[in-house]
Amino acid sequence: MNSNMTEQLDQLFRMWDRGLCPGAQVLIRQHGKTLYEKCFGYGNLENKLKIHKESIFHVASISKEFTVMSILLLWKEGKLDLDDNIKKYLDEYINIETPITIRQMMNNVSGLRDQWELLFLRGIKINDQIDMDDINTTISLQKSLNFEPQSQYLYSNTGFHLLALIVEKLSQMSFPQFVKERIFTPLGMTHSFVRESFTQIVPDLTYSYQDEGDDTFYYNPLNYALYGPTSVNTCASDLCKVLDEYIHPNVIDPEIIELMKKPVLLITHKLHGLDVFGHGGADAAYRGEIICIPEKKLELVLISNTTTYAMSKLADKAACIVLGLPDCTEPAVPEHENAPARSGVFLTALPDDPMFVDITEQNGTFYMQREWCRTELVKEEDGGYRIGSLDEKIYFTDNEILYRLPGRVLTLTPAEPVDPALFQEGTYYNDETDSFMKLVKVENTCEIHMRRHGKTTLYQSASGSIIFRMDANLVMYVKAENDTIIMDGGRIKHILYQKQ
């Protein structure tokens, strides 16, 4: 790699190199040779421990690649058929009558509701010590799907949890042990393992720190080890060994690799017409992205212990630099007339995932309320307002805001506390989460009260959306129909709460 390319990459990753801050491992290889390998920042801010080549990262949903590979190893041995109904193996957990297949779960077309939002409705919070039994119980409560299998695509962690259980049942081994013996050891991934318990001591583990763009970092703990969808712990040099297999299968059967590269097993997209295969991950403040471009024999691994960057966009930017291609990663902001900044609550509308943006003003300065703090909105030359140091911007118009996230632009409309006449006050129950909630009329609006989450106001936007936000992990669309309240989240749909 020439010095100019190195300088461009260093500049791209500069936010991981600003003093005492969390950071990342970056490893870029082409034609089997290392082009760029650097460690940035600190794995532990409290003790000022720098990230090094053998630092260990929780890589979140990148783990799913190893879950699917495990299933395909068993398929190759004839121990399962990918089109088997999962009740054949997991009848004790499945109370949904509609047949669901192994293949549909691998491809995220099963219709299974996602485990996370279901857990939150049950009153389990993200920083609780969540274990596999919590997920098993949550799944066994389900009687309905988001949609008929194969009719839509919607990412579901639940399916990968169930795939891990199938691996355990058919192999008569724990899932962590199976992955170690059948994948990590043969590939020489000596620093990799599936974490079995949040109490497990992990040498060289990096800690997780939230970056909200306000020049402060917040410790964001990870208190679970839920394998299948997540919980692989590893480092960049190990992850390159699995990317090698996607380009030149040597250890893993080529037929398995070809199935892995189907469009919905690995997350695929085009970059300047080139096929890109890979997967990202996000848990707590851990972020990661691994991609390969087989046509160019290019592999990129970026794993981080902070939320500073959107990693899929960053990986594509790095690939463009290495391949000498123009950057094509910035989302186009729709044409609009800029209006003065203003405070208020702004909401999305279906079919977008529910989002609640709260902007406040103090002494002429505007702030967005984030998960951990208020972050200042900084006006830029194009009339938009950057959210602190983050790769996010707000554009104000007369009737809405345009929220430019790293990879897309959302439209949100102003909202006010909901008209209480739209709802019936009382206690409501949902049997698929075994949870109660109260709807309480206060002053001239309504509040939702939930066990362990507390209470929050319902807001209605000018577009008609009604949303509540308990915290960053529990944001829902709400609709009233007679004595029923219907909730829709990002990955769970049509949750019915009946008035008691």
Side-chain angles (χ1 to χ4, degrees):
M1 177 177 288
N2 62 52
S3 59
N4 182 53
M5 196 175 297
T6 300
E7 289 172 6
Q8 290 182 64
L9 290 169
D10 287 346
Q11 177 66 14
L12 182 64
F13 305 133
R14 68 190 180 280
M15 295 296 286
W16 288 326
D17 193 19
R18 45 182 168 144
L20 184 62
C21 69
Q25 291 172 346
V26 178
L27 180 53
I28 302 173
R29 288 160 47 87
Q30 191 172 31
H31 300 292
K33 296 181 179 180
T34 298
L35 298 182
Y36 184 95
E37 183 176 17
K38 286 195 176 182
C39 298
F40 298 90
Y42 289 77
N44 184 294
L45 299 184
E46 292 86 343
N47 296 301
K48 300 182 180 179
L49 302 177
K50 287 191 172 184
I51 292 170
H52 52 84
K53 290 182 180 181
E54 295 184 357
S55 292
I56 299 299
F57 291 79
H58 169 100
V59 296
S61 289
I62 292 172
S63 308
K64 292 180 173 69
E65 298 195 28
F66 302 102
T67 305
V68 170
M69 194 175 288
S70 298
I71 283 287
L72 293 177
L73 286 167
L74 294 172
W75 163 75
K76 191 67 179 175
E77 293 170 358
K79 293 183 178 178
L80 59 82
D81 190 292
L82 297 181
D83 296 310
D84 282 341
N85 185 337
I86 60 172
K87 290 192 78 168
K88 176 178 179 180
Y89 307 103
L90 302 174
D91 186 58
E92 66 269 37
Y93 299 120
I94 306 300
N95 292 305
I96 298 166
E97 293 302 320
T98 305
I100 301 163
T101 69
I102 292 171
R103 191 190 305 271
Q104 288 164 347
M105 293 195 303
M106 293 194 312
N107 290 347
N108 284 308
V109 294
S110 68
L112 285 164
R113 291 170 175 150
D114 193 81
Q115 61 193 43
W116 288 111
E117 287 169 292
L118 294 172
L119 284 170
F120 303 147
L121 288 179
R122 288 184 62 206
I124 296 171
K125 302 185 77 172
I126 190 66
N127 287 332
D128 288 346
Q129 296 176 352
I130 307 169
D131 60 25
M132 297 291 284
D133 285 339
D134 290 319
I135 310 300
N136 293 339
T137 300
T138 299
I139 292 170
S140 67
L141 288 168
Q142 299 306 296
K143 301 173 184 175
S144 306
L145 296 169
N146 283 329
F147 48 79
E148 282 294 310
Q150 210 66 38
S151 67
Q152 298 180 44
Y153 173 92
L154 187 60
Y155 196 87
S156 175
N157 287 284
T158 308
F160 295 89
H161 174 92
L162 293 171
L163 291 174
L165 298 187
I166 291 172
V167 171
E168 291 189 322
K169 181 162 285 191
L170 293 181
S171 69
Q172 295 297 297
M173 300 166 64
S174 74
F175 181 76
Q177 187 65 22
F178 182 92
V179 176
K180 178 182 178 181
E181 291 188 13
R182 300 296 305 276
I183 300 174
F184 293 154
T185 298
L187 288 176
M189 298 175 66
T190 57
H191 298 94
S192 302
F193 61 95
V194 179
R195 194 168 183 176
E196 299 185 56
S197 168
F198 59 86
T199 61
Q200 184 177 346
I201 301 298
V202 179
D204 293 317
L205 178 68
T206 58
Y207 281 40
S208 157
Y209 299 95
Q210 194 81 13
D211 183 354
E212 296 285 19
D214 67 334
D215 296 322
T216 301
F217 299 101
Y218 303 86
Y219 176 55
N220 190 345
L222 187 78
N223 290 343
Y224 53 83
L226 303 172
Y227 52 75
T230 184
S231 294
V232 167
N233 283 231
T234 186
C235 61
S237 59
D238 271 16
L239 286 173
C240 262
K241 293 173 182 177
V242 74
L243 291 180
D244 287 344
E245 293 293 306
Y246 295 149
I247 295 174
H248 291 299
N250 183 44
V251 177
I252 305 299
D253 188 294
E255 189 175 5
I256 289 176
I257 295 301
E258 283 308 305
L259 277 173
M260 290 284 296
K261 288 161 64 175
K262 296 293 183 184
V264 286
L265 290 181
L266 292 172
I267 307 300
T268 63
H269 64 279
K270 295 281 189 179
L271 185 67
H272 289 287
L274 299 167
D275 287 322
V276 181
F277 299 94
H279 210 293
D283 277 335
Y286 292 107
R287 296 293 184 268
E289 189 77 22
I290 65 171
I291 65 171
C292 69
I293 303 177
E295 186 176 340
K296 298 295 184 179
K297 305 293 189 290
L298 181 64
E299 306 167 6
L300 296 94
V301 177
L302 297 84
I303 49 178
S304 175
N305 63 332
T306 187
T307 54
T308 301
Y309 290 104
M311 300 294 270
S312 59
K313 180 178 180 179
L314 192 67
D316 280 356
K317 282 180 176 290
C320 287
I321 290 172
V322 172
L323 296 173
L325 299 170
D327 184 7
C328 61
T329 64
E330 296 299 331
V333 178
E335 289 189 12
H336 64 281
E337 292 289 332
N338 285 321
R342 63 190 183 277
S343 60
V345 169
F346 302 85
L347 307 180
T348 49
L350 288 167
D352 288 329
D353 289 349
M355 181 177 286
F356 182 110
V357 170
D358 184 4
I359 295 174
T360 58
E361 181 267 336
Q362 183 177 351
N363 300 325
T365 300
F366 290 89
Y367 301 85
M368 176 188 280
Q369 184 62 48
R370 306 286 294 187
E371 183 177 0
W372 303 80
C373 65
R374 288 191 319 160
T375 301
E376 183 178 346
L377 302 185
V378 181
K379 191 171 184 179
E380 299 201 321
E381 289 184 2
D382 66 352
Y385 288 77
R386 182 170 295 276
I387 302 169
S389 60
L390 300 177
D391 183 19
E392 300 179 18
K393 293 176 76 170
I394 297 286
Y395 296 86
F396 293 89
T397 73
D398 287 337
N399 302 314
E400 59 199 18
I401 62 171
L402 302 175
Y403 188 1
R404 201 278 286 160
L405 295 161
R408 59 190 175 131
V409 180
L410 295 175
T411 299
L412 296 88
T413 53
E416 298 290 341
V418 74
D419 180 354
L422 296 175
F423 292 91
Q424 296 183 38
E425 193 170 34
T427 298
Y428 293 76
Y429 176 73
N430 172 255
D431 61 350
E432 291 185 285
T433 55
D434 190 23
S435 65
F436 289 91
M437 70 164 200
K438 287 185 179 179
L439 194 142
V440 180
K441 296 186 178 183
V442 292
E443 298 176 355
N444 295 314
T445 188
C446 295
E447 290 179 344
I448 293 280
H449 293 218
M450 287 184 165
R451 185 174 70 88
R452 296 199 67 214
H453 295 293
K455 61 184 179 181
T456 191
T457 300
L458 282 166
Y459 279 83
Q460 183 172 17
S461 73
S463 66
S465 297
I466 300 174
I467 289 179
F468 75 82
R469 180 189 188 279
M470 284 294 182
D471 57 35
N473 298 300
L474 184 52
V475 185
M476 294 277 169
Y477 288 110
V478 178
K479 180 172 64 173
E481 286 188 1
N482 301 319
D483 61 352
T484 302
I485 289 179
I486 304 169
M487 293 188 187
D488 287 288
R491 295 175 181 170
I492 62 172
K493 310 297 179 184
H494 210 65
I495 306 295
L496 305 180
Y497 278 83
Q498 303 288 345
K499 193 170 187 293
Q500 300 302 289

